[in-house]
Amino acid sequence: DSGVTQTPKHLITATGQRVTLRCSPRSGDLSVYWYQQSLDQGLQFLIHYYNGEERAKGNILERFSAQQFPDLHSELNLSSLELGDSALYFCASSPRGDPLAKNIQYFGAGTRLSVL
Amino acid sequence: DAKTTQPTSMDCAEGRAANLPCNHSTISGNEYVYWYRQIHSQGPQYIIHGLKNNETNEMASLIITEDRKSSTLILPHATLRDTAVYYCIVRVLMNRDDKIIFGKGTRLHILP
């Protein structure tokens, strides 16, 4: 158990809909990262938040957005869903900023999104 | 971050040592070698990392060549539960933009 909690585990929805994926980082971790894993693209970095602020963006579509709340949990919002958005979405957390933490990211179990 | 090259897949007999190679010939002086693995559809799991000295922990050993252009992850006594995709990643220890760029990794099959 990595200590990172993602909900829900599975999500089935229809095209055009909007969903929210939730991530609770390990206790005390300030950084949250979101990754997408689809069959043809592998693991792709989406976005990084540190203590409530956006730090880096990767291959994240404009239809997708994220935020990190004062209690450090994060949400990834996916809207106007398309069939191609079906994927596993992983959240990771890291203490970042602590040299002893060695820049290790701890991943949650993921949310499997199926868009029908 | 430097690029890495790994074999697409490997087989290893259960109980034997699994040696997974990784080439990172463009590695910079401040970049570390990290290994993660992903067991089928689970979240990636950190295994080990190192700079230039060999490292060992409860999961594996990491051997880095003297010129740091390649490394080998060693699982000393592979079990069926070690069947996974193993990712070799090169990145700095502390960086403002410290996302992980995953390649395709090596799919390791442990054979009974």
Side-chain angles (χ1 to χ4, degrees):
Chain A
D1 182 7
S2 66
V4 177
T5 303
Q6 290 188 247
T7 56
K9 284 187 169 45
H10 302 277
L11 201 47
I12 301 174
T13 188
T15 55
Q17 294 299 305
R18 171 190 170 93
V19 296
T20 297
L21 312 184
R22 182 187 170 104
C23 170
S24 294
R26 296 186 326 149
S27 177
D29 282 0
L30 299 179
S31 269
V32 170
Y33 309 80
W34 287 96
Y35 293 84
Q36 179 193 53
Q37 186 172 34
S38 55
L39 278 175
D40 56 347
Q41 292 291 330
L43 271 160
Q44 300 277 317
F45 167 73
L46 293 178
I47 198 164
H48 168 207
Y49 273 83
Y50 175 75
N51 202 20
E53 293 186 4
E54 181 185 303
R55 277 295 174 93
K57 266 186 174 180
N59 300 319
I60 187 166
L61 300 171
E62 285 192 10
R63 299 183 285 109
F64 295 1
S65 64
Q67 54 184 328
Q68 186 179 26
F69 295 86
D71 67 353
L72 301 177
H73 91 271
S74 177
E75 292 180 356
L76 179 67
N77 300 297
L78 316 176
S79 61
S80 303
L81 286 169
E82 302 174 358
L83 296 178
D85 297 327
S86 296
L88 275 166
Y89 291 85
F90 291 105
C91 163
S93 76
S94 170
R96 195 173 179 278
D98 174 6
L100 296 178
K102 304 171 186 176
N103 207 9
I104 296 169
Q105 292 184 20
Y106 299 87
F107 285 78
T111 293
R112 182 178 293 279
L113 174 65
S114 298
V115 182
L116 306 179
Chain B
D1 292 343
K3 281 189 174 179
T4 62
T5 304
Q6 300 178 250
T8 303
S9 67
M10 293 181 63
D11 292 337
C12 179
E14 189 177 19
R16 304 296 293 270
N19 296 287
L20 291 89
C22 178
N23 285 322
H24 31 78
S25 58
T26 60
I27 192 170
S28 301
N30 64 342
E31 289 180 314
Y32 285 67
V33 180
Y34 285 76
W35 284 82
Y36 282 74
R37 74 179 181 183
Q38 186 177 23
I39 297 170
H40 181 63
S41 294
Q42 297 181 20
Q45 177 190 25
Y46 164 80
I47 301 173
I48 197 167
H49 77 286
L51 181 64
K52 55 184 177 182
N53 299 318
N54 298 340
E55 301 288 344
T56 295
N57 62 20
E58 65 279 3
M59 289 183 68
S61 294
L62 175 59
I63 309 297
I64 303 174
T65 58
E66 195 168 338
D67 63 7
R68 301 208 324 121
K69 293 185 177 182
S70 66
S71 60
T72 301
L73 177 74
I74 301 173
L75 308 178
H77 305 287
T79 70
L80 296 177
R81 289 178 296 179
D82 292 321
T83 292
V85 178
Y86 288 77
Y87 298 97
C88 171
I89 299 148
V90 174
R91 54 204 287 259
V92 297
L93 188 66
M94 296 296 296
N95 192 15
R96 177 181 172 83
D97 180 13
D98 54 6
K99 61 183 178 292
I100 296 177
I101 299 174
F102 289 91
K104 296 190 184 303
T106 295
R107 189 171 295 275
L108 176 66
H109 300 277
I110 305 302
L111 307 174

